[in-house]
């Protein structure tokens, strides 16, 4: 197993004298870096070790004995060189430069950086060289303007010193290419795109430019009126971002007097390397929303028989009818007055209307609520047996909470009916990986792209879904790595790719079979690797022989010559990684899609070495960890099968109870089971919102209403909670300690930032209280105690403890976490299968289950936006994120829109065989003709009303990426299959 992410090579060294100190450094090392190594401080403004040096500010000039002073940040050391860094001439030069720059700056008391974070580097230098704006005789220039168009970033051009740090942060690190220069001479300013206002430009608000800026030219705005103060006046809490699977390390700066976060910034970690996206840097204020649930709630008697409570979720003729619910104090704020549509009914809005729903619940004590939960679940269990109970856990919760939740369902109720959103994410990828290589985790990291000669990014839009990981992909491209991008949409990744294969949706198997056909035909396979480490190659070769490029071209829409070229580039590369997303997995053929990727890497020997491997980019922040911890119906922790006798006996001994020997039901199967007379009758949902996240919302609504008992544990009142009998107020990510495992297999600690609001409680404690009430003798006192028990049952996590994870976490497996970051590359000698071989599985291309026709001629693809997450319950309560992307839109090819007479921004109707929604049309050059894209974050235009609930037969994952729809102007008459957010069936 490989532990180094970057290969070590031998280099020639040089020796220089710097202020009398001997520096022996690798050839090419700059004077600045060499000086730093020997403890000599050289002041800088434009330079930062994170960016390529440019030497524009000249603050770091030193005397090398030459005719002129040299910029230390760009001048390399030479053997025998003597460097002076602090002569009188140098000090005079630096003081003069500082005075020239300080004269145009805002007064110190008004400086945007000094009056917030208090770390204006230019003012520090001014103090060092005893110069000041107030005492200089130089004329003061101003009037270059301000830009407040971005909701969270302020631009002050008068404070800009044109150091280009922001340009390099945007280009070199994030790869967004938004910031440059505009104008000439003294009128030169930094510019966004073609000198657009920042808020109207293509800026993605990652905030990297703010973190880079040494002056007050780019600063953060206060969010929710929490003032930004110097770091030493705030409490710094090192934690991890709560959004996507990249798991970026960050620091929250907390104002304890206001019990609120003032700002956040990235911190160093081997994976994210101090980078953040807009969600990590600015999306944390959801936890302070006035809509947080703060007391337990119990449904009142008059709210039965059960069903949806709000007009939005009902979506039928009841919209204007009251239901006569009971009272009770509210435990969350309202969202403004009700909106009316054209027909007089309430128009769907962005969030659940608390004023409309809470009258159907009453407040309760924790004792009353927990007693009721335990009593009703035990009654259902006694009447219907273990199969009558099911649980949905959450990939937003910690490893410890996932472990305890699945243990409760299995040990407390004797059933394996426990699952979470991995079923809607990468379940098919995991199924194929277990079958093929014996492990559901990634075989290398996203940072290992730096060592790859070529990468395939397929079925993924990482610039939106995994933006920090995508910054490493773009950075690698600039350094020579070839990118092959395979996706039906021309996302921004396509702009950085060497090859963009815009395949027709649902044709991945045909495309990759054709690539393998050509790799084999050209003799570019790794015969030695196949002979030693692969099984079933002959069957694979026979299958792909039926997919010549000409046949694949007819299926995929990709020219046969382009298929040949891509195959040649991949096959000739010395190293290659395949990164994929839910465009591969969220299909009825998702497992087959992933099987093809495993085979393509295996036959070319692209596994087990630096710069090679298989990496399904994980969606949620802890979907990897929750799956590792056993929050799936077919595996105990560490993917140990529930149907294996020896494994089950080991867990029975550890947990002290008999366990179910049969695999449980998955998310989609549980929903279907509820609709059967002898199916699931009682459910415990922890942090899941299946009403919006699952396919075919009409079916989900019917199932939720049919449950005899539902307890929902969450931080907000969700659409799913409208069907609950009991609602338990939970803790947000920011209010508890625990470990989280990112897409790289990096186990990190999330640390408590603040207390939960009101009577809300930490999730693992709630789970434990319910476990005690159903007869389990649990007495955990901390998450670390739970982690230790979990690790003892999980060989992959062996040796890990909370106290050795440190600030940057550890990769697993890890033989020595005290001294090693962990294993980067897996399978260097053998795979995790029983025989140590990669098991190749040939796949035949099959068409999607539902194809376009005359009535529904377009193909719908669903997914995420950069600014939002999952069902929007967090991000739509974040000021920055909701301000930047406030509305639902259907993305449409210009010709498809023109053929229907639709204009950009027009309100349109999208309908499928299952439902209909209304939203605005966005004309987009990123869509293929005949395809539309709808994000699934917006309840007022819930994309999953349209989607089909057909599932992959192996991974049991729904088909989110392909169903037939029609888009039309609102005036078009048709027979609607459903109305608004959730019309009845």
């Amino acid at each position: 197993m490989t532990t180094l992410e970057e290969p070590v090579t031998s280099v020639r060294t040089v020796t220089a004298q710097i202020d009398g100190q001997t520096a022996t450094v690798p050839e090419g090392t700059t004077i600045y870096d060499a000086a730093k190594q020997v403890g000599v401080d050289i002041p800088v403004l434009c330079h930062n070790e994170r960016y390529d040096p440019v030497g524009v500010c000249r603050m770091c000039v030193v005397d090398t004995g030459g005719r002129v002073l040299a910029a230390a940040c760009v001048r390399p050391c030479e053997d025998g060189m003597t460097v002076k860094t602090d002569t009188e001439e140098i000090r005079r030069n630096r003081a003069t430069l500082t005075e020239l720059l300080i004269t145009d700056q805002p007064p110190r008391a008004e400086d945007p950086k000094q009056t917030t974070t208090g770390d204006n580097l230019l003012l520090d230098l001014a103090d060092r060289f005893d110069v000041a704006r107030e005492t200089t005789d130089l004329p003061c220039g101003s009037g270059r303007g301000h830009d407040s168009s971005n909701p969270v970033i302020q631009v002050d051009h008068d404070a800009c010193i044109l150091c280009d740090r922001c340009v390099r942060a945007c280009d070199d690190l994030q790869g967004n290419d938004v910031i440059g220069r505009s104008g000439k001479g003294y009128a030169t300013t930094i510019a966004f795109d073609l000198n657009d206002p920042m808020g109207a430009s293509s800026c993605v608000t990652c905030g990297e430019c703010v973190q880079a800026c040494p002056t007050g030219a780019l600063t953060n705005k206060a969010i929710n009126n929490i003032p930004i103060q110097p770091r030493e006046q705030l409490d710094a809490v090192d934690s991890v971002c709560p959004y996507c699977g990249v798991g970026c390390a960050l620091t929250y700066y907390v104002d304890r007097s206001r019990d609120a976060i003032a700002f956040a910034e990235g911190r160093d970690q081997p994976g994210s390397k101090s980078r953040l996206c807009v969600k990590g840097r600015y999306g944390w204020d959801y936890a302070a929303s006035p809509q947080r649930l703060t007391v337990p709630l119990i449904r009142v008697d008059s709210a039965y028989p059960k069903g949806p409570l709000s007009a939005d979720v009902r979506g039928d003729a009841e919209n204007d009818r009251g239901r006569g619910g009971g009272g009770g104090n509210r435990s969350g704020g309202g969202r403004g007055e009700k909106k009316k549509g054209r027909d007089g009914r309430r128009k769907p809005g962005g969030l659940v209307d608390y004023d409309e729903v809470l009258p159907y619940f009453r407040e309760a004590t924790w004792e009353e609520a927990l007693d009721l939960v335990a009593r009703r679940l035990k009654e259902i269990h006694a009447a219907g047996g273990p199969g009558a109970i099911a649980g949905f856990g959450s990939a937003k919760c910690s490893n410890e909470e996932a472990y305890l939740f699945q243990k409760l369902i299995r040990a407390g109720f004797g059933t394996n009916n426990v699952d979470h959103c991995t079923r809607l994410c990468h379940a098919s990828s995991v199924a194929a990986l277990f079958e093929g290589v014996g492990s559901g985790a990634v075989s290398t990291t996203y940072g290992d792209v730096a060592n790859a000669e070529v990468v395939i990014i397929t079925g993924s839009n990482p610039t939106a879904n995994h933006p920090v990981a995508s910054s490493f992909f773009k950075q690698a491209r600039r350094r020579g790595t070839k990118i092959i991008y395979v996706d039906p949409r021309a996302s921004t990744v396509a702009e950085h790719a060497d090859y963009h294969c815009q395949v027709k949706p649902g044709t991945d198997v045909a495309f990759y079979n054709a690539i393998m056909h050509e790799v084999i035909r050209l003799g570019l396979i790794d015969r030695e690797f196949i002979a030693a480490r692969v099984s079933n190659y002959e069957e694979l070769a026979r299958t792909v022989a039926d997919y010549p490029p000409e046949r694949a071209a007819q299926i995929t829409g990709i020219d046969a010559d382009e298929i040949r070229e891509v195959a040649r580039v991949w096959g000739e590369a010395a190293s290659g990684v395949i990164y994929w997303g839910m465009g591969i997995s969220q299909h009825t053929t998702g497992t087959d899609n992933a099987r093809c990727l495993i085979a393509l890497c295996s036959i070319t020997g692209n596994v087990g070495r630096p710069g090679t491997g298989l990496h399904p980019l994980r969606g949620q922040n802890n979907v990897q960890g929750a799956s590792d911890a056993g929050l799936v119906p077919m595996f105990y922790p560490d993917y140990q099968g529930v149907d294996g006798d020896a494994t089950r006996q080991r867990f029975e001994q550890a947990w002290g109870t008999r366990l179910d020997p049969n695999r449980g039901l998955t998310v989609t199967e549980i929903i279907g089971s509820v609709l059967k007379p002898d199916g699931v009758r009682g459910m415990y949902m922890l942090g899941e919102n299946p009403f919006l996240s699952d396919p075919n919302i009409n079916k989900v609504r019917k199932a939720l209403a049919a449950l005899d008992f539902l307890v929902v544990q969450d931080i907000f009142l969700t659409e799913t909670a409208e069907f609950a009998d009991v609602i338990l107020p939970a803790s947000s990510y920011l209010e508890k300690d625990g470990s989280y495992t990112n897409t790289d297999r990096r186990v990190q600690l999330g640390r408590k930032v603040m207390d939960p609001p009101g009577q809300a409680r930490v999730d693992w404690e709630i789970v434990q209280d319910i476990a005690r009430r159903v007869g389990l003798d649990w007495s955990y006192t901390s998450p670390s105690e739970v982690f230790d028990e979990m690790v003892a049952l999980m060989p992959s996590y062996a040796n890990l403890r909370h106290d050795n994870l440190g600030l940057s976490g550890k990769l697993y497996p890890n033989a020595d976490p005290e001294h090693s970051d962990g294993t980067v590359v897996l399978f260097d000698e053998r795979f995790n299968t029983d025989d140590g071989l990669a098991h190749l599985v040939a796949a035949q291309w099959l068409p999607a289950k539902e194809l376009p026709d005359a009535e529904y001629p377009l193909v719908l693809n669903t997914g995420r936006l950069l600014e939002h997450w999952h069902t929007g319950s967090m991000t739509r309560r974040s000021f920055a994120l909701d301000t930047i992307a406030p509305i639902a839109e259907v993305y449409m090819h210009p010709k498809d829109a023109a053929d229907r007479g639709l204009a950009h921004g027009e309100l349109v109707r999208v309908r499928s065989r299952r439902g209909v929604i209304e939203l605005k049309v966005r004309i987009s050059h990123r869509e293929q003709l005949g395809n539309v894209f709808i994000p699934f974050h917006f309840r007022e235009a819930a994309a999953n009303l349209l989607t089909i609930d057909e599932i992959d037969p192996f991974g049991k994952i729904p088909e989110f990426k392909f169903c037939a729809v029609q888009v039309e102007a609102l005036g078009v008459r048709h027979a609607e299959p459903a109305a608004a957010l959730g019309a009845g069936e």
Side-chain angles (χ1 to χ4, degrees):
M1 295 181 179
T2 306
T3 57
L4 294 177
E5 206 156 277
E6 297 184 6
V8 177
T9 57
S10 59
V11 295
R12 181 175 177 270
T13 61
V14 297
T15 300
Q17 294 293 317
I18 304 177
D19 288 350
Q21 301 291 320
T22 300
T24 301
V25 294
E27 188 176 32
T29 302
T30 64
I31 295 172
Y32 176 86
D33 288 335
K36 187 175 180 180
Q37 289 183 31
V38 296
V40 175
D41 174 52
I42 300 176
V44 292
L45 268 178
C46 74
H47 184 58
N48 183 293
E49 289 89 342
R50 299 178 69 212
Y51 321 127
D52 292 336
V54 291
V56 299
C57 77
R58 318 308 287 180
M59 185 63 67
C60 67
V61 292
V62 295
D63 184 354
T64 62
R67 183 175 58 85
V68 295
L69 300 177
C73 68
V74 294
R75 178 70 180 270
C77 280
E78 298 172 7
D79 205 32
M81 177 183 279
T82 298
V83 180
K84 298 177 181 178
T85 72
D86 195 30
T87 67
E88 184 177 348
E89 178 189 7
I90 291 171
R91 288 194 296 273
R92 185 170 60 250
N93 270 284
R94 291 172 179 162
T96 301
L97 175 59
T98 303
E99 185 177 14
L100 287 167
L101 292 173
I102 202 74
T103 185
D104 287 348
Q105 293 289 300
R108 185 181 292 255
E110 301 173 13
D111 181 81
K113 199 174 193 75
Q114 203 64 18
T115 54
T116 54
T117 50
D119 56 351
N120 188 315
L121 295 185
L122 180 59
L123 292 179
D124 288 346
L125 289 173
D127 293 340
R128 179 173 177 174
F129 298 119
D130 196 26
V131 297
R133 178 183 187 274
E134 293 75 15
T135 59
T136 181
D137 294 328
L138 296 173
C140 174
S142 61
R144 283 179 287 182
H146 300 74
D147 180 358
S148 299
S149 59
N150 186 288
V152 287
I153 298 175
Q154 177 69 34
V155 183
D156 185 341
H157 289 293
D158 287 334
C160 179
I161 59 173
L162 296 175
C163 66
D164 286 347
R165 272 204 198 187
C166 60
V167 177
R168 286 172 286 150
C170 186
D171 293 358
D172 299 347
L173 289 190
Q174 292 283 350
N176 292 323
D177 302 322
V178 176
I179 307 177
R181 288 191 181 195
S182 176
K184 295 182 179 180
Y186 188 77
T188 301
T189 62
I190 60 166
F192 304 93
D193 291 341
L194 299 177
N195 216 11
D196 297 319
M198 187 182 197
S201 72
S202 60
C203 170
V204 295
T205 315
C206 67
E208 192 73 55
C209 58
V210 176
Q211 190 157 333
C213 183
T215 69
L218 290 158
T219 51
N220 289 323
K221 297 179 181 179
I223 294 177
N224 293 335
N225 298 314
I226 305 301
I228 298 174
Q229 304 173 57
R231 292 169 184 80
E232 58 270 18
Q233 297 177 23
L234 301 170
D235 186 10
V237 181
D238 294 324
S239 192
V240 186
C241 177
Y243 285 104
C244 83
V246 176
C248 299
L250 48 67
T251 299
Y252 295 109
Y253 289 92
V254 186
D255 185 336
R256 292 299 178 196
S257 66
R258 294 175 172 84
D259 194 27
I261 296 171
F263 67 99
E265 61 186 12
R267 60 181 177 84
D268 196 28
Q269 178 238 61
S272 56
K273 297 183 179 178
S274 301
R275 304 178 197 183
L276 293 176
C277 77
V278 61
K279 292 190 290 291
R281 197 179 301 274
Y282 301 112
W284 33 261
D285 54 319
Y286 70 90
S289 167
Q291 291 197 323
R292 285 291 301 276
L293 294 170
T294 58
V295 295
L297 301 171
I298 294 176
R299 199 180 193 94
V300 298
D301 292 341
S302 58
Y304 292 91
K306 246 187 343 182
L309 301 174
S310 69
D312 290 352
V313 175
R314 287 198 307 273
D316 56 16
E318 292 186 70
N319 279 13
D320 267 346
R321 295 207 302 265
R323 289 184 56 131
N329 294 330
R330 298 189 174 96
S331 35
R335 190 68 176 170
E337 65 180 27
K338 297 180 181 180
K339 300 167 283 184
K340 297 288 183 178
R342 295 183 309 280
D343 58 0
R345 299 187 301 177
R346 182 170 179 264
K347 184 178 179 182
L351 298 170
V352 171
D353 189 328
Y354 281 43
D355 291 337
E356 190 176 12
V357 174
L358 284 179
Y360 300 101
F361 292 89
R362 65 174 177 83
E363 293 184 358
T365 65
W366 272 104
E367 291 297 313
E368 180 186 13
L370 293 173
D371 286 347
L372 177 59
V373 168
R375 177 174 62 81
R376 288 294 292 123
L377 290 178
K378 286 195 296 183
E379 289 173 350
I380 293 170
H381 180 265
I389 300 294
F392 285 175
S394 175
K396 276 281 173 276
C397 290
S398 67
N399 290 325
E400 295 80 5
E401 289 162 341
Y403 173 80
L404 289 184
F405 188 82
Q406 61 86 32
K407 182 179 177 182
L408 165 63
I409 300 298
R410 288 182 160 123
F413 298 103
T415 179
N416 290 312
N417 292 342
V418 61
D419 208 354
H420 73 297
C421 68
T422 190
R423 196 62 44 208
L424 313 175
C425 177
H426 268 301
S428 53
S429 301
V430 171
L433 286 166
F434 260 100
E435 172 188 72
V437 300
S439 169
V442 302
S443 73
T444 192
T445 65
Y446 61 81
D448 197 28
V449 67
N451 298 312
E453 192 172 302
V454 62
V455 298
I456 293 176
I457 302 171
T458 180
S460 173
N461 180 8
T463 50
N465 297 336
H466 305 90
V468 169
S470 79
S471 72
F472 289 92
F473 300 160
K474 291 180 282 188
Q475 198 171 45
R477 170 66 182 83
R478 291 167 187 250
R479 294 172 179 172
T481 298
K482 286 187 171 65
I483 293 180
I484 299 167
Y485 184 51
V486 186
D487 197 81
R489 301 188 72 219
S491 75
T492 51
V493 180
E495 298 164 10
H496 298 268
D498 296 271
Y499 303 92
H500 176 212
C501 300
Q502 196 167 10
V503 296
K504 294 177 182 177
T507 64
D508 302 274
V509 168
F511 177 81
Y512 288 107
N513 277 354
I515 295 294
M516 287 188 282
H517 174 284
E518 282 298 290
V519 167
I520 293 171
R521 185 186 68 82
L522 295 170
L524 299 176
I525 59 173
D526 188 330
R527 298 184 186 279
E528 183 178 341
F529 189 92
I530 291 171
R533 303 195 55 190
V534 167
S535 68
N536 204 37
Y537 168 73
E538 292 76 13
E539 176 62 27
L540 177 82
R542 282 193 295 269
T543 298
V544 302
D546 291 335
Y547 289 85
E550 287 74 17
R551 182 190 176 199
Q554 293 178 336
I555 298 171
T556 66
I558 304 301
D559 185 80
D561 287 340
E562 185 173 1
I563 292 174
R564 292 188 183 93
E565 174 67 7
V566 167
R568 183 192 61 78
V569 169
W570 174 263
E572 291 180 349
S575 57
V577 183
I578 299 180
Y579 298 94
W580 73 91
M582 283 167 274
I584 288 292
S585 60
Q586 288 179 337
H587 284 285
T588 52
T589 57
T591 303
D592 281 344
N593 293 343
R595 285 166 171 164
C596 290
L597 303 182
I598 294 166
L600 180 57
C601 272
S602 297
I603 67 174
T604 52
N606 278 309
V607 186
R609 296 177 288 114
T612 70
L614 298 154
H615 191 127
L617 290 158
R618 294 300 198 159
Q620 296 269 20
N621 65 317
N622 201 39
V623 70
Q624 181 67 57
S627 300
D628 293 346
L631 200 59
V632 285
M634 64 287 297
F635 295 120
Y636 295 124
D638 211 15
Y639 307 99
Q640 300 173 75
V642 299
D643 47 5
D645 291 341
T647 297
R648 186 175 65 260
Q649 290 168 10
R650 185 163 58 252
F651 278 89
E652 286 177 342
Q653 182 176 4
W655 293 347
T657 188
R658 295 287 300 273
L659 298 173
D660 184 0
N662 302 306
R663 293 187 172 202
L665 301 177
T666 64
V667 164
T668 47
E669 291 173 330
I670 288 169
I671 294 298
S673 172
V674 175
L675 298 175
K676 299 176 182 178
D678 58 348
V680 171
R681 309 309 318 146
M683 287 197 68
Y684 182 3
M685 293 191 189
L686 170 58
E688 287 285 278
N689 188 16
F691 187 86
L692 285 187
S693 62
D694 286 18
N696 194 353
I697 283 176
N698 286 328
K699 180 177 179 180
V700 175
R701 184 201 323 96
K702 187 176 180 180
L704 292 174
L707 282 168
D708 291 346
F709 186 78
L710 171 63
V711 53
V712 170
Q713 183 172 317
D714 217 318
I715 63 175
F716 296 116
L717 190 63
T718 64
E719 290 78 9
T720 299
E722 292 190 31
F723 299 85
D725 298 88
V726 177
I727 302 174
L728 303 176
S731 52
S732 78
Y733 175 91
L734 298 167
E735 296 150 6
K736 56 193 174 187
D737 294 320
S739 65
Y740 301 80
T741 306
N742 78 349
T743 189
D744 277 350
R745 297 175 272 107
R746 182 173 296 279
V747 185
Q748 304 177 90
L749 289 178
R751 294 174 174 85
K752 180 179 177 181
V753 177
M754 58 190 68
D755 291 326
Q759 297 178 37
R761 295 181 58 196
V762 174
D763 292 275
W764 72 266
E765 293 178 349
I766 301 173
V767 174
Q768 174 162 272
D769 278 352
I770 293 174
R772 287 170 173 167
R773 282 170 167 80
V774 301
L776 298 178
D777 185 20
W778 290 9
S779 56
Y780 303 104
T781 59
S782 68
S784 63
E785 184 180 347
V786 179
F787 188 78
D788 290 343
E789 176 182 308
M790 182 178 81
V791 168
L793 295 167
M794 298 174 62
S796 295
Y797 278 52
N799 307 311
L800 298 181
R801 301 187 310 275
H802 273 207
D803 59 8
N804 66 23
L805 293 178
L807 290 176
S808 60
K810 300 292 180 179
L811 296 174
Y812 78 77
N814 196 320
D816 184 14
E818 301 290 347
H819 304 97
S820 170
D821 189 50
T823 304
V824 174
V825 179
L826 300 180
F827 315 136
D828 55 347
E829 295 180 355
R830 71 185 310 275
F831 292 97
N832 279 6
T833 54
D834 291 340
D835 58 8
L837 302 178
H839 299 163
L840 306 189
V841 179
Q844 296 285 356
W845 172 73
L846 296 171
K849 294 292 186 179
E850 180 179 83
L851 298 174
D853 58 17
E855 185 177 2
Y856 300 100
L858 302 173
V859 174
L860 170 65
N861 180 13
T862 66
R864 297 191 181 104
L865 298 177
L866 166 65
E867 296 82 7
H868 285 296
W869 192 253
H870 218 194
T871 62
S873 59
M874 293 160 55
T875 55
R876 300 197 73 186
R877 290 177 171 91
S878 164
F879 166 75
L881 305 179
D882 196 48
T883 301
I884 296 170
I887 62 171
E889 295 174 309
V890 52
Y891 292 67
M892 212 173 175
H893 188 279
K895 186 176 186 303
D896 285 327
D899 289 347
R900 291 160 176 77
L902 304 177
H904 182 81
E906 180 180 351
L907 192 64
V908 298
R909 179 186 297 115
V910 183
R911 57 187 175 92
S912 74
R913 292 178 176 87
R914 288 152 298 280
V916 58
I917 60 177
E918 295 178 5
L919 68 173
K920 290 187 176 182
V921 66
R922 184 184 184 100
I923 308 301
S924 168
H925 68 279
R926 301 192 185 281
E927 314 313 314
Q928 284 191 63
L929 188 66
N931 291 262
V932 296
F933 172 78
I934 299 178
F936 58 74
H937 317 293
F938 300 91
R939 70 188 296 266
E940 62 269 36
N944 282 332
L945 243 180
L946 309 174
T947 52
I948 190 170
D949 58 354
E950 293 282 350
I951 62 173
D952 175 275
F954 305 99
K956 310 296 184 182
I957 193 168
E959 174 70 89
F960 285 115
K961 298 298 185 183
F962 198 118
C963 75
V965 299
Q966 176 63 290
V967 180
E968 58 200 9
L970 292 183
V972 175
R973 295 288 181 180
H974 62 89
E976 295 188 10
L981 180 58
E985 293 182 309

